[in-house]
């Protein structure tokens, strides 16, 4: 048990790191400085890999560091860095408190090779073809992100709101209420499904998820075969007491064979703490451990069936998040955008769709909540990816937060000046829905909110003024659409730009009016 | 509104009104009494810095004690609608807000609250307008107003189009209400001043925009008369309002107008802005509803030059 300290190191590190990453997703007060996001998420495998594919910058070498670490020490990523992995460990730990799930509950599990490599295959196809939605479903970081952003965050916010409303009664306004935006249940249900899946896996079978479904686990497992340091059994001293096998979450220790299948070891180091005779060791590999060829298992087809059944369900179900809340039928022309609006910095819809794994970090971080998970806004290819939802909010003129937090480079970081002239779409005025036209009264909510005055009020009948859009200074922020009070349809909406354009700066005409010398009344 | 909804809402309103009246302090809402002891109907100051002009105006009005009594709670409601820096003058001058709060505490105010239902992201507006810091420095509580949960339904009996609205709870529970708008151009209301600034204490503004904006502004002005209106017309946004696109939209006019009559205050501000009070539809509409006096010649005005 000389190396028992490694487990303690793993626990301390992973818990701290997990809390940090969870805070990034939960922070609803803009408390976390933007610079921290990159530093914390630098080593996340898939985001880093995609950063290299998307941007080809130094930020994209995190995954190479993971591979090097892997070749030296094994799958450290899975137990130290991967938030979904750590979440499973937390579930396992909590379940130990129940009598039914004892500490020594695990046993050797046969590898499901063809299943593992199938999922890896899907992942690689997604990576090469740019159909990133396939990666979105499989990347452990993104799965965790959606669980944190879609399930944990609202819970924390509800708690905060309760606290805020109680303190409010005592005239304390340190905490404030945060309103939650409605979500597509199809997106939420994916997160719920994965949460339940890893909960069941982790409680009953340890890290089985990581060794059957997770493509990152499979890929890193491949590198583990060549690792310098490995866990292995000293056959001369081993008493076959099976303690190590019983604490192995990965189910990769096979005591009858006196073999550790290191490609499935997640480097949790639990085994090192239990061996009474120090027969299980973590050191330079002395000789190659013979890999046992096992037949593909027939177990667990059920999970896969459920998975695909659910996918089918999700894609066939109708849209629930309705655009209309109230019924007031002055706006009768069904104006609908044909091109979805992607966030500033995403350059084009195509770049965005192929680069984003839908981790929802930007959805969590967006101060105005204009970024919301898409359902079919981009088509199926962009399922769950963030889209500019101008019914939930509008893009703040002086904000570049999504670019600052995006870990994959799908949303590039623009400087503020560039962002203010980046045209993500163009406002479309629908006169037959406008209050000025239908009610014959002044309104002007759209022009009021417009930060560039691309939407301005021009004379109409009598004292009425009506909106007019100047396309080349419109940046498509959606403030007009958000503010437009007509229902059920809006009288102004943003049509997305397939490729983002460069908008002109609004003119700055100096005024020459003198202030009169005397009081005007 | 369906009949059932109406009945439910009426009952709720009744319960709330009863409860409010029984609490006592709430009774003031319905009093709307004009402070007839004021020396002037309106004080206009020009050519000074915002804080200095305020000192002069309040002195002419007989001091802040005429409005704030010892132990009272005060709401100071500036315009914090936009996430822009103070030099853009889309929000009320922070120096002026700071000075008003200081005066309130000098008069013995128990607590001073500052908030606005902003258009841009509220926390960014509070911070970048400089008002949050200025108000906190003076000892005020800067409170949130971005969620419907902070608002209570009220009836507006004299309203034509706007019969009820959801109003920030602190307006209902505080003793004194000081309205601190900034004078600006507005795309469809022509100018935004005191009455338009009250849109920042209500929740559903879209309803106003749908149901004749100008009439709704006038309607809501009948609900609760601010005890004092202090109009910041130091830097005036004369075009591209109410948000503005750059400092080129501004003219430095160096005015401050103080009155407890919103119609008079807005009429005087219109004159400063360079239009007739009639040109901003809601001013004559409010005058018709008896909110205040649009005819400045009928008022006792003190004009001060610094």
């Amino acid at each position: 048990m000389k190396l028992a300290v490694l487990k303690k190191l793993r626990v301390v590190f992973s818990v701290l790191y997990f809390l940090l990453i969870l805070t990034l997703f939960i922070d609803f007060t803009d408390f976390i400085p933007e610079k921290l996001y990159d530093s914390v998420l630098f080593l996340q495998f898939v985001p880093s890999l995609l950063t290299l594919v998307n941007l080809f910058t130094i930020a994209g070498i995190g995954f190479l560091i993971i591979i090097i670490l892997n070749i030296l020490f094994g799958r450290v990523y899975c137990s130290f860095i991967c938030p979904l992995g750590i979440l499973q460990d937390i579930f396992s730990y909590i379940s130990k408190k129940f009598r039914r799930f004892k500490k020594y509950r695990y046993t050797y599990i046969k590898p499901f090779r063809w299943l593992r490599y199938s999922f890896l295959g899907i992942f690689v196809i997604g990576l090469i073809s740019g159909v990133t939605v396939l990666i979105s479903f499989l990347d452990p970081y993104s799965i965790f992100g959606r669980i944190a952003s879609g399930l944990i965050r609202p819970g924390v916010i509800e708690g905060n709101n309760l606290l805020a409303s109680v303190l409010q009664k005592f005239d304390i306004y340190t905490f404030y209420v945060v309103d939650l935006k409605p979500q597509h249940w199809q997106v939420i249900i994916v997160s719920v499904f994965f949460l339940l899946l890893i909960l069941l896996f982790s409680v009953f079978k340890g890290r089985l998820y990581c060794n059957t479904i997770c493509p990152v686990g499979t890929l890193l497992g491949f590198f583990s075969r060549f690792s310098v340091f490995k866990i292995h059994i000293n056959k001369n001293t081993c008493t076959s007491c099976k303690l190590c096998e019983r604490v192995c979450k990965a189910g990769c220790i096979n005591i009858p064979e006196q073999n550790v299948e290191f490609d499935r070891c997640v480097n949790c180091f639990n085994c090192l703490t239990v061996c009474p005779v120090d027969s299980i060791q973590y050191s330079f590999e002395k000789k190659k451990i013979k890999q046992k060829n096992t037949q593909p298992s027939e177990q667990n087809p059920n999970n896969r069936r459920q998975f695909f059944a659910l996918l089918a369900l999700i894609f066939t179900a109708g849209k629930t998040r309705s655009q209309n809340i109230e019924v007031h039928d002055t706006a009768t022309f069904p104006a609908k955008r044909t091109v979805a609006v992607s966030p500033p910095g995403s350059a084009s819809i195509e770049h965005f769709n192929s680069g984003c794994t839908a981790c929802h970090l930007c959805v969590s971080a967006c101060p105005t909540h204009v970024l919301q998970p898409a359902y079919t806004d981009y088509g199926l290819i962009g399922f769950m990816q963030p889209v500019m939802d101008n019914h939930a909010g509008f893009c703040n003129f002086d904000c570049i937060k999504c670019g600052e937090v995006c870990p994959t480079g799908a949303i590039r970081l623009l400087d503020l000046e560039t962002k203010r002239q980046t045209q993500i779409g163009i406002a479309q005025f629908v006169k037959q829905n406008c209050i000025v036209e239908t009610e014959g009264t002044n309104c002007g909510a759209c022009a009021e909110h417009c930060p560039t005055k691309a939407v301005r009020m021009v004379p109409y009948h009598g004292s009425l003024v009506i909106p007019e859009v100047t396309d080349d200074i419109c940046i498509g922020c959606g403030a007009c659409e958000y503010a437009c009070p007509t229902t059920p349809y809006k009288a102004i909406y943003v049509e997305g730009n397939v490729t983002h354009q460069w908008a002109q700066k609004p003119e700055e005409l100096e005024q020459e009016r003198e202030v009169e010398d005397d009081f005007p009344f | 509104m369906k009949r059932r909804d109406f009945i439910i809402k009426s009952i709720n309103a009744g319960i709330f009104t009863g409860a409010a009246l029984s609490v006592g302090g709430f009774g003031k809402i319905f009093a709307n009494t004009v402070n007839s002891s004021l020396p002037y109907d309106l004080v206009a100051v020009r050519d000074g810095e915002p804080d200095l002009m305020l000192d002069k105006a309040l002195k002419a009005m007989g001091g802040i004690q005429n409005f704030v009594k010892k132990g009272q709670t005060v709401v100071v409601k500036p315009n914090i609608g936009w996430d822009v820096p103070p030099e853009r003058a889309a929000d009320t001058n922070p120096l002026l807000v700071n000075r008003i709060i200081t005066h309130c505490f000098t008069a013995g105010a128990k607590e001073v609250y500052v908030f606005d239902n902003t258009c841009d992201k509220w926390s960014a507006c509070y911070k970048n307008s400089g008002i949050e810091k200025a108000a906190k420095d003076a000892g005020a509580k800067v409170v949130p107003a971005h969620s419907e949960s902070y608002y209570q339904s009220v009836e507006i009996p004299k309203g034509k189009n706007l019969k009820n609205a959801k109003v920030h709870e602190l307006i209902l529970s505080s003793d004194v209400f000081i309205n601190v708008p900034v004078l600006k151009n507005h795309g469809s209301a022509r100018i935004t001043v005191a009455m338009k600034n009250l849109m920042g204490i209500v929740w559903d503004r879209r309803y106003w925009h749908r149901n004749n904006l100008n009439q709704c502004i006038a309607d809501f002005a009948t609900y609760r008369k601010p005890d004092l209106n202090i109009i910041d017309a130091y830097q005036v946004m004369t075009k591209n309002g109410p948000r503005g696109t750059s400092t080129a939209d501004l003219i430095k006019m160096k005015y401050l107008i103080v009155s407890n009559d919103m119609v008079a205050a807005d009429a005087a501000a219109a004159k400063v802005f360079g239009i007739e009070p009639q040109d901003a539809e809601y001013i004559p509409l409010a005058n018709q509803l008896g909110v205040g006096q649009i005819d400045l010649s009928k008022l006792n005005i003190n004009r001060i030059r610094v």
Side-chain angles (χ1 to χ4, degrees):
Chain A
M1 282 186 249
K2 278 177 280 179
L3 287 168
V5 66
L6 282 176
K7 187 207 163 181
K8 282 187 186 135
L9 178 76
R10 190 261 302 174
V11 170
V12 171
F13 182 92
S14 63
V15 167
L16 288 178
Y17 183 74
F18 181 82
L19 289 176
L20 197 58
I21 208 165
L22 187 63
T23 313
L24 294 188
F25 278 97
I26 287 178
D27 177 31
F28 51 88
T29 59
D30 297 340
F31 169 73
I32 306 275
E34 287 77 18
K35 281 177 187 162
L36 199 65
Y37 284 84
D38 277 350
S39 328
V40 172
L41 301 177
F42 174 67
L43 287 176
Q44 289 304 325
F45 194 86
V46 175
S48 161
L49 177 65
L50 279 169
T51 306
L52 195 74
V53 174
N54 289 333
L55 303 177
F56 211 76
T57 61
I58 192 88
I61 61 161
F63 81 97
L64 290 174
I65 295 176
I66 292 294
I67 289 177
I68 292 167
L69 279 175
N70 206 98
I71 290 171
L72 289 174
F73 303 110
R75 284 163 64 179
V76 249
Y77 176 80
C78 301
S79 278
F80 285 72
I81 312 283
C82 175
L84 197 70
I86 302 169
L87 184 63
Q88 292 177 66
D89 288 349
I90 292 170
F91 285 150
S92 301
Y93 176 78
I94 293 169
S95 69
K96 265 193 296 196
K97 305 291 168 200
F98 298 95
R99 201 195 292 172
R100 202 182 144 193
F101 304 106
K102 299 207 173 72
K103 187 182 174 190
Y104 301 101
R105 70 177 114 142
Y106 304 113
T107 176
Y108 173 75
I109 302 170
K110 286 177 190 166
F112 308 112
R113 283 226 172 76
W114 70 270
L115 201 55
R116 297 178 72 185
Y117 287 112
S118 304
F119 281 115
L120 182 61
I122 296 172
F123 179 83
V124 171
I125 290 168
L127 196 64
I128 294 168
S129 66
V131 184
T132 311
V133 68
L134 298 173
I135 302 178
S136 305
F137 275 105
L138 294 171
D139 168 32
Y141 159 77
S142 299
I143 293 169
F144 171 79
R146 290 192 297 269
I147 290 172
S149 165
L151 304 176
I152 303 175
R153 188 172 193 269
V156 173
I157 289 178
E158 289 293 358
N160 165 79
N161 289 356
L162 193 66
L163 181 68
S165 55
V166 170
L167 290 177
Q168 198 184 320
K169 303 267 182 290
F170 298 97
D171 200 33
I172 297 165
Y173 289 91
T174 327
F175 293 84
Y176 50 82
V177 173
V178 177
D179 290 332
L180 290 164
K181 304 288 174 183
Q183 302 282 324
H184 292 295
W185 66 267
Q186 295 91 339
V187 176
I188 290 296
I189 209 161
V190 173
S191 306
V192 172
F193 171 77
F194 276 101
L195 181 66
L196 291 178
L197 192 70
I198 66 140
L199 181 70
L200 290 175
F201 269 106
S202 60
V203 167
F204 291 102
K205 294 284 175 190
R207 291 292 202 99
L208 186 61
Y209 175 89
C210 311
N211 281 327
T212 42
I213 296 172
C214 183
V216 178
T218 306
L219 187 66
L220 293 178
F222 176 75
F223 290 109
S224 287
R225 296 172 183 214
F226 314 107
S227 289
V228 178
F229 280 87
K230 275 185 178 169
I231 298 215
H232 52 89
I233 298 169
N234 185 340
K235 291 176 184 169
N236 299 327
T237 54
C238 177
T239 59
S240 295
C241 73
K242 277 200 168 183
L243 275 181
C244 55
E245 188 182 316
R246 292 280 176 204
V247 296
C248 178
K249 287 179 293 190
C252 68
I253 302 176
N254 187 352
I255 285 301
E257 302 267 338
Q258 298 219 324
N259 186 15
V260 180
E261 289 170 22
F262 195 62
D263 65 328
R264 288 190 291 138
C265 170
V266 292
N267 282 41
C268 72
F269 303 128
N270 282 356
C271 51
L272 300 180
T273 63
V274 293
C275 184
V277 290
D278 274 348
S279 280
I280 195 141
Q281 289 160 353
Y282 182 58
S283 59
F284 288 114
E285 200 197 4
K286 301 275 164 39
K287 62 174 174 114
K288 248 203 151 57
I289 292 163
K290 206 181 116 217
Q291 289 284 339
K292 235 185 73 127
N293 245 342
T294 37
Q295 287 300 308
S297 161
E298 288 164 19
Q299 286 176 36
N300 272 316
N302 222 5
N303 285 317
R304 209 167 48 117
R305 237 186 347 245
Q306 278 170 12
F307 181 79
F308 286 113
L310 192 99
L311 275 189
L313 178 80
I314 290 159
F315 285 112
T316 50
K319 199 169 183 167
T320 46
R321 190 176 53 174
S322 147
Q323 292 197 337
N324 334 312
I325 305 146
E326 26 183 342
V327 182
H328 187 275
D329 51 1
T330 59
T332 48
F333 184 76
K336 279 234 167 92
R337 80 183 104 244
T338 50
V339 179
V341 190
S342 64
S346 59
S348 71
I349 303 238
E350 197 192 342
H351 171 266
F352 185 61
N353 285 162
S354 65
C356 169
T357 60
C359 76
H360 294 179
L361 186 60
C362 58
V363 174
S364 290
C366 176
T368 63
H369 309 298
V370 62
L371 273 177
Q372 294 291 331
Y375 173 46
T376 52
D377 305 64
Y378 297 113
L380 291 184
I381 205 159
F383 178 59
M384 301 192 295
Q385 287 181 348
V387 67
M388 304 296 270
D389 178 352
N390 296 331
H391 293 254
F394 60 91
C395 185
N396 190 331
F397 193 56
D398 293 315
C399 177
I400 45 171
K401 187 111 184 194
C402 50
E404 285 172 321
V405 305
C406 179
T408 67
I411 308 175
R412 294 173 200 175
L413 178 56
L414 306 176
D415 63 80
L416 208 45
E417 276 304 314
T418 312
K419 188 264 169 169
R420 288 187 189 124
Q421 284 183 263
T422 301
Q423 187 188 62
I424 57 177
I426 299 174
Q428 312 289 322
F429 179 50
V430 189
K431 193 172 161 191
Q432 55 264 58
N433 284 350
C434 181
I435 292 288
V436 183
E437 176 74 11
T438 60
E439 308 294 288
T441 59
N442 273 323
C443 169
C446 50
E448 192 178 74
H449 281 67
C450 181
T452 65
K453 276 288 170 285
V455 182
R456 62 199 174 93
M457 305 307 286
V458 296
Y460 197 48
H461 306 310
S463 65
L464 291 179
V465 283
I466 201 158
E468 187 182 82
V469 183
T470 313
D471 288 1
D472 61 355
I473 58 169
C474 175
I475 58 166
C477 70
C480 50
E481 184 177 343
Y482 177 77
C484 180
T486 64
T487 52
Y489 305 105
K490 296 275 184 179
I492 195 162
Y493 70 98
V494 178
E495 188 66 69
N497 280 346
V498 176
T499 304
H500 292 182
Q501 304 292 322
W502 187 247
Q504 297 301 309
K505 257 193 165 169
E507 278 183 48
E508 293 184 17
L509 289 175
E510 291 296 335
Q511 304 175 92
E512 288 178 9
R513 207 182 101 188
E514 289 287 310
V515 181
E516 289 165 47
D517 266 351
D518 211 358
F519 283 88
F521 47 82
Chain B
M1 186 183 286
K2 282 185 200 153
R3 193 187 307 164
R4 194 182 55 187
D5 289 350
F6 176 76
I7 292 168
I8 291 169
K9 282 195 175 163
S10 306
I11 292 170
N12 285 342
I15 291 169
F16 179 73
T17 312
L21 284 171
S22 63
V23 174
F26 285 56
K28 284 195 178 61
I29 313 160
F30 302 98
N32 268 4
T33 46
V34 178
N35 194 339
S36 53
S37 61
L38 293 178
Y40 297 101
D41 297 317
L42 188 144
V43 175
V45 192
R46 62 175 293 183
D47 299 334
E49 291 306 297
D51 48 348
L52 180 66
M53 291 198 289
L54 176 76
D55 293 351
K56 299 256 180 202
L58 286 179
K59 199 177 166 199
M61 277 290 190
I64 188 78
Q65 302 86 307
N66 270 345
F67 308 95
V68 180
K69 305 273 182 273
K70 197 168 190 298
Q72 285 186 319
T73 51
V74 184
V75 166
V76 171
K77 198 286 185 188
N79 188 336
I80 329 178
W82 306 103
D83 174 18
V84 292
E87 57 269 23
R88 289 270 299 273
D91 305 308
T92 306
N93 188 310
L95 187 63
L96 177 65
V97 177
N98 176 288
R99 193 71 185 167
I100 293 167
I101 297 162
T102 307
H103 276 287
C104 292
F105 282 118
T106 314
K110 188 174 136 206
E111 195 70 78
V112 179
Y113 301 99
V114 176
F115 67 84
D116 190 12
N117 184 4
T118 63
C119 297
D120 284 334
K121 168 77 179 175
W122 71 280
S123 48
C125 293
Y126 278 23
K127 183 164 174 259
N128 298 332
S129 67
I131 290 176
E132 184 172 37
K133 186 179 185 302
K136 279 184 176 166
D137 285 351
K141 262 190 184 162
V142 180
V143 298
H146 63 282
S147 167
E148 194 170 358
S149 55
Y150 296 114
Y151 293 79
Q152 307 272 4
S153 272
V154 298
E155 300 283 315
I156 302 154
K158 290 188 199 160
K160 277 187 175 169
N161 288 9
L162 191 71
K163 296 283 185 193
N164 48 57
K166 282 194 139 188
V167 175
H168 198 283
E169 56 187 15
L170 284 172
I171 295 291
L172 303 175
S173 63
S174 295
D175 301 313
V176 183
F177 173 28
I178 301 179
N179 186 21
V180 196
V182 55
L183 171 61
K184 288 183 291 178
N185 157 254
H186 189 276
S188 42
R190 283 304 294 277
I191 55 169
T192 161
V193 212
M195 283 187 274
K196 176 89 177 56
N197 194 40
L198 297 189
M199 285 185 93
I201 64 171
V202 295
W203 177 246
D204 187 10
R205 288 188 288 236
R206 286 201 182 104
Y207 183 89
W208 297 36
H209 280 279
R210 272 199 300 271
N211 294 278
N212 192 348
L213 178 65
N214 286 298
Q215 184 64 54
C216 287
I217 295 171
D219 286 352
F220 189 72
T222 64
Y223 163 68
R224 161 65 143 119
K225 194 172 178 175
D227 300 280
L228 190 60
N229 302 283
I230 301 171
I231 298 171
D232 168 21
Y234 184 80
Q235 287 275 20
V236 178
M237 186 186 291
T238 55
K239 59 185 174 69
N240 290 334
R243 195 187 194 275
T245 55
S246 73
T247 49
D249 298 327
L250 308 178
I251 290 179
K252 199 178 226 174
M253 295 191 177
K254 290 187 147 189
Y255 267 94
L256 185 89
I257 296 163
V258 172
S259 176
N260 66 349
D261 179 338
M262 279 195 286
V263 178
D266 282 6
K271 289 276 200 181
V272 169
F273 191 85
I275 62 171
E276 287 305 310
Q278 266 73 16
D279 296 342
E281 269 179 70
Y282 62 87
I283 304 180
L285 286 172
N287 181 64
Q288 285 161 26
L289 288 170
V291 177
Q293 182 54 261
I294 194 171
D295 188 351
L296 295 173
S297 65
K298 290 183 179 158
L299 296 175
N300 182 13
I301 299 178
N302 186 0
R303 298 169 184 82
I304 302 168
R305 206 183 276 273
V306 175

